[in-house]
Amino acid sequence: MLSVYFTKGWRRKGLLLLSVFIYLGLVYLAVGWNKLFTTKPKTEIVLQSFQRKYTLPKLNAANRKEIVIKDTQSKSQTSHTTKDMSVSEILTRVYKYFTNDFPITEEPVLSWIKNEKVFCDKRLLISGDRFAIGKNVRMFPSRRANIQSVAKGGEEVRFVLNQDLSKEEYIYNMDFWEMDCPKENTPINSNGFYWSRNIVLKTESNNSKAENQSVPRTETMYTIGVRRQDYANLHNWVRDVFNVFIVMLHFKLQTSQVSILFLDGHPFTYLDHAWENIYSKPIRIGHLTEPVNYEKFIWGIQENMGPITEPSAQNTVPYLEEFRSFVLSQFNLSSEHKLQCSKPKITLILRRNAVYHPRNVEGKVGRKIFNEPEIVDALMKKFPKAHIETILMESVPMVTQLKISSNTDIWIGMHGAGMSHTIFLPKHAGVLELFAKDFKSGRPWFKCFHDITNWRNMSYQTWENLDSALDMPHDFTIVPTEILTSKVEALMNKLCPK
């Protein structure tokens, strides 16, 4: 009887285990069947030029907040140049346009130089109320308002979230800079010059000589003071860098002769590395505590007072091609890209939410394209021989951005900072700029990138959403693929006439 009991017991256990396995199998099949008919398909776009892969789900308006990015590139990669040449070697290059063999002949820069005001027995020269140069300028970093409570600058954004802008935009005392004049000085009567109220001209005396000796450090390099405004925006960065380039053209200064001084307390951004590549590693005035005597100090052009202005009343901006060549060269990139009509290169700019500065804690970014995968699929079908790429600008270093843009034939993107690369595109390239619904209203500067294409005589197409049905939640816009491909085709026909 006992043996029969155990035999029946094992049978019971076997039947129980079999039932469990059958149940789990049915559950697995049900889940798989459900996924087969409910999971949204995905399109993977491999960015071949820098081995980065994005997985772009096709989602609907109800469940879409963000496109998931699967990043296969290590975030620790920080290379700035494409070859083995060091930054210090690049910064010692000599450019012809920074020599006397390249005279300035184009407006508006020529008028600024002609409209030069002289002060302090030619020790201070102000050009067109835009920029100035001073000899033996004493600077006192502590002569700023609320110096104990303002930011020093260069902090990581995550440590200064919600920081008020007033902590980054310094208020300078009227005697922040001092200069000694050999005879009785004339007040600076240049109201259009931004820094005129912060420079004191003192009559040279024994006391002033003693003051010079008391300054612990003397800087012998040309130092260009740059007051950044919208520092985290690529377009504003381009304007600042271009303004420094114009100043160097005028004073005939090679990069090895120049030091950059940030006259603000903004946090760190990836664009700071780009400054270092092009000119030199910037010095932050908030990190200085002791007075400095500058043998040659240049107050740079204010960002919104340079040749690239918004909105621009100018028909052209001078020296854009020289500027493009200069920037690419500083990143050790070629400025020559030959159009191959048999395999043109088309690049689509992606936009994502991200925290770029302390005042945008939620990281909201507007004007995003809702149907990116469909657009890429449509472009691949319409132009099967073309090389199609996508790029999320802020996810890659500037050298990678420039490598892509300088070798692109057709550049597509929503109006935004990434369109600033229009300056670095080959001159033959075409641009397709997209606009979200009602974006142009009350924003006269919406045409800034169109202006660049006009200045460079490039082909340009545009599309603006006029249909509310194409508006999606979270600042997404559906861009009709048939309209987009037709506009790209129009650009292609100009590049490669049949």
Side-chain angles (χ1 to χ4, degrees):
M1 292 293 292
L2 188 63
S3 61
V4 172
Y5 175 80
F6 277 110
T7 301
K8 290 182 178 179
W10 282 110
R11 286 177 180 173
R12 291 190 186 112
K13 290 180 180 179
L15 289 172
L16 179 62
L17 289 171
L18 181 61
S19 300
V20 170
F21 282 123
I22 291 173
Y23 174 78
L24 292 175
L26 290 172
V27 171
Y28 180 80
L29 287 173
V31 172
W33 186 264
N34 183 61
K35 282 187 176 181
L36 181 62
F37 287 97
T38 60
T39 300
K40 303 296 180 182
K42 294 184 178 181
T43 300
E44 289 190 343
I45 304 170
V46 180
L47 307 185
Q48 298 175 357
S49 65
F50 48 95
Q51 306 302 313
R52 178 178 286 267
K53 183 181 290 185
Y54 295 97
T55 302
L56 305 179
K58 295 181 180 179
L59 304 177
N60 56 40
N63 61 10
R64 179 170 188 157
K65 280 193 175 182
E66 277 303 312
I67 291 179
V68 178
I69 300 176
K70 183 169 70 177
D71 186 356
T72 59
Q73 178 178 315
S74 170
K75 291 183 179 180
S76 62
Q77 266 186 304
T78 57
S79 63
H80 303 306
T81 56
T82 57
K83 297 181 181 179
D84 294 332
M85 183 175 288
S86 68
V87 173
S88 60
E89 289 176 311
I90 291 174
L91 292 177
T92 58
R93 286 175 172 165
V94 176
Y95 293 93
K96 180 180 179 180
Y97 30 80
F98 296 144
T99 69
N100 291 325
D101 294 332
F102 190 88
I104 291 181
T105 58
E106 297 186 35
E107 298 292 353
V109 184
L110 182 60
S111 294
W112 297 349
I113 296 170
K114 288 181 177 179
N115 184 22
E116 189 174 71
K117 299 177 182 178
V118 180
F119 301 93
C120 198
D121 197 30
K122 296 184 179 181
R123 295 185 184 183
L124 175 64
L125 306 177
I126 301 177
S127 299
D129 289 337
R130 294 302 199 281
F131 58 93
I133 185 170
K135 296 180 180 179
N136 293 320
V137 179
R138 292 189 299 274
M139 186 183 75
F140 299 86
S142 62
R143 294 180 182 178
R144 292 181 282 128
N146 307 315
I147 191 169
Q148 299 301 324
S149 60
V150 296
K152 288 187 176 180
E155 302 87 355
E156 290 188 40
V157 173
R158 62 194 176 105
F159 294 130
V160 291
L161 292 176
N162 290 311
Q163 177 172 267
D164 193 87
L165 184 60
S166 62
K167 291 183 177 292
E168 302 170 17
E169 295 184 335
Y170 299 150
I171 299 175
Y172 296 95
N173 294 358
M174 296 180 67
D175 57 350
F176 189 80
W177 288 284
E178 290 183 357
M179 293 181 63
D180 294 329
C181 303
K183 54 186 177 180
E184 188 172 345
N185 62 77
T186 302
I188 301 175
N189 58 347
S190 184
N191 294 329
F193 177 53
Y194 185 85
W195 299 108
S196 61
R197 297 182 180 181
N198 305 107
I199 306 171
V200 172
L201 303 181
K202 305 176 72 173
T203 304
E204 197 169 40
S205 64
N206 291 331
N207 290 335
S208 61
K209 291 179 181 179
E211 287 178 6
N212 271 334
Q213 293 174 357
S214 67
V215 174
R217 184 168 73 86
T218 295
E219 176 59 65
T220 58
M221 290 184 69
Y222 284 87
T223 298
I224 303 177
V226 177
R227 174 182 168 268
R228 300 172 299 163
Q229 291 170 275
D230 197 352
Y231 68 101
N233 184 288
L234 179 63
H235 182 56
N236 298 75
W237 172 83
V238 167
R239 297 203 299 180
D240 276 328
V241 172
F242 182 72
N243 288 345
V244 173
F245 176 79
I246 292 297
V247 168
M248 292 172 61
L249 279 182
H250 172 49
F251 293 115
K252 307 304 177 188
L253 301 176
Q254 301 291 336
T255 53
S256 59
Q257 299 173 276
V258 169
S259 174
I260 301 296
L261 176 66
F262 282 165
L263 299 173
D264 57 68
H266 295 309
F268 173 84
T269 76
Y270 79 97
L271 295 172
D272 292 0
H273 284 319
W275 276 100
E276 183 175 350
N277 258 99
I278 298 174
Y279 297 118
S280 62
K281 185 173 183 179
I283 300 168
R284 298 178 185 274
I285 201 166
H287 293 194
L288 301 179
T289 56
E290 299 293 329
V292 182
N293 182 64
Y294 294 96
E295 290 188 357
K296 292 137 323 198
F297 190 87
I298 299 172
W299 291 268
I301 304 169
Q302 296 298 298
E303 178 198 307
N304 59 348
M305 295 181 68
I308 304 177
T309 57
E310 300 170 349
S312 176
Q314 300 166 197
N315 295 322
T316 184
V317 167
Y319 310 115
L320 282 180
E321 301 311 316
E322 290 84 357
F323 173 68
R324 173 182 182 268
S325 174
F326 165 68
V327 171
L328 294 178
S329 180
Q330 289 300 89
F331 281 92
N332 217 28
L333 297 170
S334 172
S335 59
E336 301 296 328
H337 169 67
K338 293 183 179 180
L339 171 64
Q340 295 182 1
C341 291
S342 60
K343 191 176 181 180
K345 183 174 178 182
I346 303 173
T347 301
L348 174 68
I349 303 174
L350 309 179
R351 288 172 66 84
R352 297 290 181 274
N353 285 357
V355 178
Y356 297 112
H357 60 78
R359 269 73 62 190
N360 186 15
V361 177
E362 295 182 359
K364 291 183 178 180
V365 172
R367 307 183 304 282
K368 298 183 286 284
I369 300 174
F370 181 79
N371 56 327
E372 289 165 344
E374 290 84 356
I375 287 175
V376 173
D377 288 342
L379 288 171
M380 293 176 70
K381 290 176 182 177
K382 185 70 175 179
F383 309 102
K385 295 182 180 181
H387 179 76
I388 313 293
E389 287 192 280
T390 61
I391 178 173
L392 179 63
M393 291 295 185
E394 54 273 20
S395 69
V396 296
M398 183 59 69
V399 63
T400 306
Q401 296 184 33
L402 292 170
K403 185 177 181 181
I404 292 174
S405 62
S406 64
N407 289 282
T408 289
D409 301 310
I410 294 182
W411 191 254
I412 308 170
M414 274 282 186
H415 177 93
M419 295 299 287
S420 302
H421 276 273
T422 303
I423 283 183
F424 304 114
L425 295 174
K427 198 167 183 178
H428 69 254
V431 175
L432 172 55
E433 185 174 13
L434 313 173
F435 288 93
K437 192 173 185 297
D438 300 327
F439 177 79
K440 293 181 180 179
S441 178
R443 296 182 175 94
W445 41 264
F446 74 84
K447 61 189 292 288
C448 57
F449 304 120
H450 189 189
D451 284 340
I452 295 174
T453 62
N454 284 335
W455 296 331
R456 299 191 64 208
N457 296 315
M458 300 168 66
S459 299
Y460 177 86
Q461 288 279 337
T462 183
W463 173 82
E464 179 183 3
N465 179 23
L466 302 175
D467 186 356
S468 298
L470 299 178
D471 276 348
M472 293 289 110
H474 310 292
D475 294 315
F476 281 95
T477 299
I478 295 175
V479 180
T481 55
E482 64 277 7
I483 295 178
L484 183 138
T485 52
S486 68
K487 289 186 176 292
V488 173
E489 185 176 31
L491 290 171
M492 196 73 76
N493 289 338
K494 287 188 176 182
L495 269 62
C496 303
K498 295 179 181 179

